[in-house]
Amino acid sequence: MQTDVASAAHLPVLADEVAFLLRPRRGGWIVDGTVGMGGHAERLLEAGASATRLLGVDQDPEALARAGVRLARFGDRVALVRGSFRRLSALAAEAGVAEAVSILLDLGLSSYQLDESGRGFSFLREEPLDMRFDPSTGRTAADLVNSAPADVLARLLAELGEERHARRIARRIAERRRAAPLRSTADLVAAVKEAVPRAAWPARLHVATRTFQAVRMAVNDETGALADALPQAASLLARGGRLGVISFHSGEDRIVKHSFRSLENAGSFVQLLRRPMEAGRDEVEHNPRARSAKLRVLERQVAA
Ligand SMILES: C[S@@+](CC[C@H](N)C(=O)[O-])C[C@H]1O[C@@H](n2cnc3c(N)ncnc32)[C@H](O)[C@@H]1O
């Protein structure tokens, strides 16, 4: 099982590999479904032909504002829209994008969200327990941990966090909230620390890492959004176009693997890499977040 790490540099992951494999050679639309801070988008625009345009999507308005600043020099070659890639077909249609030569999904959260958003993604800071990528809609992490039945919480922690102590943690959360609702990241960290015996704390991970990951993934329904988006992304691809997905979680990589395999078996697509591409030692040294990244690429066949 692989997990997000607490410290993340402001660097796009596997950026050389993405720019090389997904660069549009003859212009056309790039769709970046997770534009974030615009790092990959910038690399793809630089690497692509000058007729290339980019539609950047993100659920987080603050991320879009940052991407807007970073990509301003590309002028009207860039369009940014707020929304979930779960609605990729509709967002593309609304932006007038009929087909895309490159599509990228770089999953999970950005280093800005982790380190600066103040939305409770990090167990290292005391912040309100929110964790929504789109802060204007849906239930917060506090809503989830204060209302979900303990057995549901335990299942989420086990499935999305692969947390060995899922039941104990869920039980402790339920006990704590009977006294007072959990409101902050510190409350959730305290529940985890009280639930897991000190001797069982992992040596190289913060004891709350897996719980925070599972709660964030549940709050944003990250695996559901991914499963919904992949067929839409594949059908938006132009002939010869490529879809790249970077995942940081074994469950997400499994969804990508199975979806790409079934699209390949259906006949119009081919996977470019037999095994997912991972970051080299150098990159991981500079960007710890790259440690668990896996890139898979699907190409729509020219004759499809
Ligand atoms: C890892 S960051 C992307 C970083 C970006 N590639 C860069 O180079 O700056 C992931 C981004 O995806 C966004 N995101 C996550 N799930 C999303 C979804 N379902 N729809 C749209 N954006 C999503 C997050 O808000 C976050 O900004």
Side-chain angles (χ1 to χ4, degrees), residues 11-13 32-42 57-60 63-64 70 83-86 91 104-113 119 133-134 220-222 225-226 246 248 289:
L11 296 169
V13 168
D32 186 341
T34 52
V35 73
M37 288 169 296
H40 285 111
E42 182 177 45
V57 175
D58 207 291
Q59 283 185 293
D60 185 336
L64 288 173
R70 187 167 192 164
S84 170
F85 57 62
R86 175 167 237 156
L91 293 173
L104 176 66
L105 298 178
D106 173 23
L107 303 172
L109 80 170
S110 68
S111 50
Y112 146 72
Q113 287 164 329
R119 272 186 253 149
F133 290 146
D134 178 349
N220 295 292
D221 188 18
E222 293 178 43
L226 176 63
I246 304 174
F248 297 85
R289 185 169 178 271

Side-chain angles (χ1 to χ4, degrees), residues 168-188:
R168 282 171 185 261
I169 296 170
R171 226 174 14 241
R172 187 64 197 128
I173 290 172
E175 285 163 7
R176 267 191 157 250
R177 73 191 183 196
R178 272 198 291 277
L182 286 78
R183 297 188 200 284
S184 73
T185 46
D187 294 337
L188 186 56

Side-chain angles (χ1 to χ4, degrees), residues 73-272:
R73 68 189 163 98
F74 298 101
D76 62 8
R77 290 172 63 197
V78 172
L80 297 174
V81 298
R82 180 170 174 187
S84 170
F85 57 62
R86 175 167 237 156
R87 296 184 56 248
L88 196 69
S89 303
L91 293 173
E94 283 156 23
V97 178
E99 60 175 30
V101 290
S102 309
I103 303 177
L104 176 66
L105 298 178
D106 173 23
L107 303 172
L109 80 170
S110 68
S111 50
Y112 146 72
Q113 287 164 329
L114 185 66
D115 297 332
E116 297 171 51
S117 71
R119 272 186 253 149
F121 291 107
S122 171
F123 42 75
L124 297 177
R125 265 170 280 281
E126 175 149 16
E127 292 171 356
L129 209 45
D130 186 318
M131 297 202 204
R132 290 169 299 172
F133 290 146
D134 178 349
S136 70
T137 177
R139 64 183 178 168
T140 65
D143 295 335
L144 176 69
V145 299
N146 288 315
S147 67
D151 60 329
V152 172
L153 276 181
R155 203 170 56 241
L156 289 177
L157 297 179
E159 286 174 6
L160 298 175
E162 293 185 17
E163 171 55 71
R164 284 174 47 219
H165 305 285
R167 280 176 176 283
R168 282 171 185 261
I169 296 170
R171 226 174 14 241
R172 187 64 197 128
I173 290 172
E175 285 163 7
R176 267 191 157 250
R177 73 191 183 196
R178 272 198 291 277
L182 286 78
R183 297 188 200 284
S184 73
T185 46
D187 294 337
L188 186 56
V189 170
V192 176
K193 286 185 169 170
E194 288 159 9
V196 181
R198 184 82 209 213
W201 290 15
R204 290 176 30 185
L205 277 184
H206 189 287
V207 64
T209 303
R210 294 170 189 277
T211 296
F212 270 63
Q213 173 174 292
V215 171
R216 188 205 82 219
M217 291 183 74
V219 162
N220 295 292
D221 188 18
E222 293 178 43
T223 51
L226 176 63
D228 284 355
L230 292 174
Q232 298 177 54
S235 66
L236 187 62
L237 278 182
R239 290 177 184 207
R242 292 177 179 180
L243 162 63
V245 183
I246 304 174
S247 62
F248 297 85
H249 179 271
S250 48
E252 285 179 334
D253 183 56
R254 233 179 350 261
I255 292 172
V256 180
K257 180 166 115 183
H258 290 147
S259 169
F260 280 13
R261 192 181 291 155
S262 67
L263 285 158
E264 198 173 35
N265 290 341
S268 309
F269 298 92
V270 62
Q271 291 195 68
L272 289 193

